[in-house]
Amino acid sequence: MPQAPTYPPLSRLQFHDPLLPSSSPSATLSRSRALLRRETLSLGNRFKSILKDVGYVCRLQDALISASAGASGTEVGDEEGREGLGDGGTGCKWLLIANERNGSWYVPPQPERERRGVNGEGGGKAYFKSTDGHFGRWGFSTRRLNLGFLGALGGKGQGGEGGKGGGGAILVDSTRTGKILPDALSKTVPIWTAVINAALFPTMPSSHTLQTPPSFSVSSSPSDHSKTYLPASEISQITSRLPSFISSFHALDLPVDALRVRLRNKPIKLVWAIHGMPGLTTPEIEEEDLEKWNILVLCSASRRVSGDGGQDGYVQGAADDAEGWSRGLTASGFWEVVEKLGGWKKGLGNAELSVDEEGLRDMVEEEVRRWKGEGERGLEVEVAQGLVVGKAGDGLMERVEEDDSLIVICNGRSPSEVADSGKLNEFRGEREEEDYAANEVNEQNDSSRRPSNQLYLDLPTGKLGSRALRKRLSQVELFIRATLEKDMMRPIVVTCETGKNLSVGVALMIVCLFYGDEGGPS
C-alpha cells in the first residue's frame, strides 16, 4: 500500500519570485515587498505624483476664481483640463501660499506660471509646523507668527482698493500615505487663526472659536459613514489652551491696528479643500462669507491612498521628507528640472516623463551640481548698513579680507583652517548632534589660534543646527558688542551653508541688538 505524501509545515514554506536574481532564490515575501515599494517610490513616480497634485491645486485655484467672479462652481477632478474654468474675472485672486517646506513643491513659481499661460498667481510662503498640532503638544509659536502673508490673504490688490468684500488665499500643503490632512492644516492653522482673530478682532467673539475640519466620508462608498475628523475631547483640550496662546501674542506688543488694516478689518474664516475627497475637492464658498470674512482655503494637495502607493504608481505626499529621496534637489531646483522636461502641464492628466529613471536621476544630479557651483562663486545680500549675509565663497572671503570685516561663520571650517583650499563652503559640518557637543569644546580650545575678526560657531547643518544656534547666540552678542564698542562702523559678514538659513537668524539678532530705526549701527 503506497504511503501518503508528506508536506512540510507552513512555517517552513518560503516565497520565491522568479523575477528576482538567481543569487537570492529563497528571498522572503518581505524582501519582495521591499523591492516593490522601492520601485513604487522611484524618483520618476515621485515627480509624476507631484505634478498630478500640482494640476489639482491649480484647477482648484481656477475654480475658485471663476466662482468668485460670478461663474458657476465646478467640481475639480483628477483628469480635468484647465479650459473652461474661468479667466480670472474681476473678483478675488485666490493667491497660492506655499506652506514650507512641503508646499513649495506644489506651487509653481510665478515665472513658470507665466511661461505656461496659467491663470492665478502665487502669493508667498508661510511656515506652519505640524509639530505645533501634534496631540498633547498643541501650541502657538511666537517664533513663527506667519504675519507676512496677511496682506495677500486680506485681498491687497484684489478686486480694487477699498472693495467691500474680504480677501481669499489658498494655503497648500500635503501629507504622507494614509493620512487625509497634515496636522498643520487640521490643528496648527486653526489654532493660529483663533489667536489672530481674538487678538485683532476682540469685539467679534464669534470669530474666536476653534475652527476645525468638517465631517466627511472617508471614501465614495455608500457603506462608509461620515465621521468628525477631530475627536471632541481633542477639540476641548485645544480650546482650553487658547487663552494662554492669546496672552502670549499680546505680550509681543505688536501693532495690532496695522495688522487689522492688512486684513481690511475682516476676520479669517477657514475652509478645507482635500484632493480626492468627495464633496471637499472643490469647497463651496458662499458670497455672503466673501463679504464678511477673509477666506483661507487649507488645501491638502495629495489624494489619500492606502499602502505605499496607488496602482498607477501614484505616491501620496511624494515631496514629503525630501532629504531622504531628492538627492540634494530643492523645490526650486525641482521646477528647473520640470522646465527642462518640457513644463508642468504634463502633470494635469496622466503625467509621463520624457526620460527614463536613469535619465531623470542624471538631470537631478546636474541641477544639484549647478546649484552648488553657483554657491561656490559666493552669494551675498546687504540686509542693513554694513551687515552682509551670504553663502561663503571665494568672492565673499575676498571682501572680508579687503574690508577687514568681522565674520561670523555658522557652518564649515574657518578660513584660517582651510587657507590652502581657498573655498570655505567645500567644508561642511555634517556632524551628528553628539559629535557637535564634543567639537564645541575643541572649538573653544582652538579659538585663540584664529584671527580676532572671526567667530566660528561650528554648527551642524539642518534642524540640528537651528537648535544648536540658540545656545550660541550669547557668544555672537559678546563678539559683536566687543568690536562695535571700539569701531561702530566696522563691516560685519555672516555666513552659513546656504546663505538663507542660520546666517539670517544671526543677522536678525544683530540688527535687533545693535541697529537703530535708520538702518545703521546705534
Side-chain angles (χ1 to χ4, degrees):
M1 182 175 180
Q3 292 183 339
T6 58
Y7 301 98
L10 185 62
S11 60
R12 293 181 57 189
L13 292 178
Q14 291 181 313
F15 173 81
H16 172 59
D17 187 342
L19 297 179
L20 293 174
S22 57
S23 59
S24 55
S26 60
T28 62
L29 178 61
S30 61
R31 181 177 177 184
S32 298
R33 291 183 60 186
L35 291 173
L36 180 60
R37 183 176 185 271
R38 190 178 305 124
E39 180 180 345
T40 301
L41 300 179
S42 66
L43 194 62
N45 279 348
R46 287 187 183 273
F47 263 65
K48 290 188 287 186
S49 300
I50 293 171
L51 291 175
K52 286 184 178 181
D53 294 339
V54 170
Y56 162 68
V57 170
C58 293
R59 291 193 302 273
L60 169 66
Q61 184 186 33
D62 272 355
L64 292 175
I65 289 173
S66 297
S68 65
S72 59
T74 304
E75 182 70 12
V76 177
D78 275 333
E79 310 301 335
E80 290 184 45
R82 299 176 59 82
E83 293 74 21
L85 291 181
D87 58 1
T90 58
C92 180
K93 291 183 178 179
W94 295 104
L95 303 180
L96 295 178
I97 310 290
N99 190 36
E100 292 278 41
R101 295 174 297 167
N102 219 15
S104 292
W105 296 78
Y106 299 94
V107 177
Q110 194 61 29
E112 175 71 7
R113 300 170 67 84
E114 292 171 356
R115 281 195 294 266
R116 299 286 151 189
V118 178
N119 298 328
E121 301 176 15
K125 297 180 180 180
Y127 191 19
F128 295 99
K129 291 192 68 173
S130 285
T131 51
D132 291 329
H134 287 177
F135 187 86
R137 298 176 59 188
W138 312 286
F140 174 80
S141 174
T142 54
R143 293 192 300 113
R144 295 179 295 274
L145 290 173
N146 289 296
L147 303 178
F149 76 95
L150 289 184
L153 174 59
K156 182 178 181 180
Q158 301 185 39
E161 291 297 329
K164 67 175 183 177
I170 305 170
L171 183 69
V172 181
D173 203 348
S174 71
T175 189
R176 65 180 185 273
T177 298
K179 294 188 70 175
I180 298 174
L181 284 170
D183 286 344
L185 299 189
S186 63
K187 288 175 280 187
T188 305
V189 177
I191 291 171
W192 174 86
T193 302
V195 172
I196 295 298
N197 282 347
L200 303 190
F201 304 98
T203 61
M204 301 179 65
S206 61
S207 68
H208 303 174
T209 58
L210 184 73
Q211 303 175 53
T212 59
S215 303
F216 48 76
S217 174
V218 296
S219 79
S220 58
S221 171
S223 61
D224 290 331
H225 62 280
S226 294
K227 61 179 182 179
T228 303
Y229 189 79
L230 295 181
S233 60
E234 186 170 8
I235 294 174
S236 176
Q237 292 180 72
I238 296 174
T239 299
S240 68
R241 300 189 184 193
L242 290 180
S244 64
F245 298 155
I246 296 169
S247 296
S248 68
F249 181 88
H250 282 305
L252 299 174
D253 196 24
L254 296 172
V256 293
D257 290 339
L259 295 176
R260 192 181 302 115
V261 169
R262 290 192 197 179
L263 291 172
R264 295 208 286 185
N265 298 307
K266 300 178 189 298
I268 302 169
K269 182 174 182 178
L270 301 180
V271 175
W272 281 263
I274 304 174
H275 189 181
M277 184 61 60
L280 288 177
T281 302
T282 310
E284 294 184 3
I285 299 174
E286 301 293 335
E287 183 177 352
E288 181 180 357
D289 285 341
L290 279 172
E291 294 178 356
K292 294 181 179 179
W293 302 82
N294 293 297
I295 307 296
L296 181 58
V297 177
L298 305 183
C299 172
S300 184
S302 295
R303 61 180 170 86
R304 181 176 181 264
V305 297
S306 58
D308 294 325
Q311 295 180 348
D312 56 354
Y314 175 80
V315 181
Q316 180 182 352
D320 197 27
D321 293 327
E323 295 89 346
W325 64 265
S326 68
R327 299 174 175 266
L329 190 69
T330 62
S332 59
F334 166 79
W335 286 107
E336 292 291 338
V337 174
V338 169
E339 176 61 19
K340 293 175 183 177
L341 289 170
W344 63 275
K345 261 196 169 182
K346 293 178 180 178
L348 299 185
N350 292 314
E352 293 297 335
L353 304 178
S354 57
V355 295
D356 58 14
E357 184 74 10
E358 184 177 355
L360 181 60
R361 191 180 303 119
D362 291 342
M363 293 181 69
V364 168
E365 292 175 352
E366 178 184 354
E367 174 61 25
V368 172
R369 285 194 299 269
R370 184 192 68 80
W371 179 78
K372 289 182 177 179
E374 289 183 353
E376 289 179 359
R377 292 192 292 273
L379 169 69
E380 56 184 87
V381 177
E382 187 167 7
V383 297
Q385 181 182 338
L387 177 59
V388 172
V389 170
K391 178 177 180 179
D394 290 343
L396 189 55
M397 297 314 300
E398 290 174 3
R399 172 174 179 159
V400 170
E401 295 174 1
E402 291 174 0
D403 299 343
D404 190 28
S405 303
L406 290 180
I407 179 168
V408 179
I409 306 154
C410 297
N411 304 106
R413 299 183 183 178
S414 70
S416 59
E417 292 174 323
V418 295
D420 46 355
S421 73
K423 292 183 180 180
L424 173 66
N425 63 301
E426 289 182 358
F427 298 87
R428 295 185 172 92
E430 297 177 352
R431 301 185 178 92
E432 298 297 332
E433 193 163 13
E434 58 270 19
D435 295 330
Y436 168 74
N439 280 283
E440 182 179 4
V441 176
N442 295 333
E443 190 275 331
Q444 292 172 349
N445 294 335
D446 293 342
S447 60
S448 61
R449 299 200 297 266
R450 296 201 178 94
S452 60
N453 69 325
Q454 296 179 15
L455 176 61
Y456 174 46
L457 299 181
D458 190 24
L459 299 172
T461 57
K463 295 180 179 179
L464 295 180
S466 299
R467 289 197 291 267
L469 175 61
R470 301 170 199 172
K471 301 177 181 178
R472 305 298 293 273
L473 287 176
S474 59
Q475 185 180 357
V476 177
E477 178 185 357
L478 292 175
F479 174 71
I480 299 297
R481 186 181 299 280
T483 302
L484 293 185
E485 286 177 351
K486 300 176 182 178
D487 183 2
M488 184 175 294
M489 302 308 295
R490 191 170 185 180
I492 303 171
V493 175
V494 186
T495 71
C496 70
E497 183 187 32
T498 64
K500 302 177 182 179
N501 190 8
L502 301 178
S503 57
V504 177
V506 172
L508 178 61
M509 186 204 74
I510 293 173
V511 169
C512 291
L513 292 179
F514 302 107
Y515 279 68
D517 295 339
E518 301 301 321
S522 62

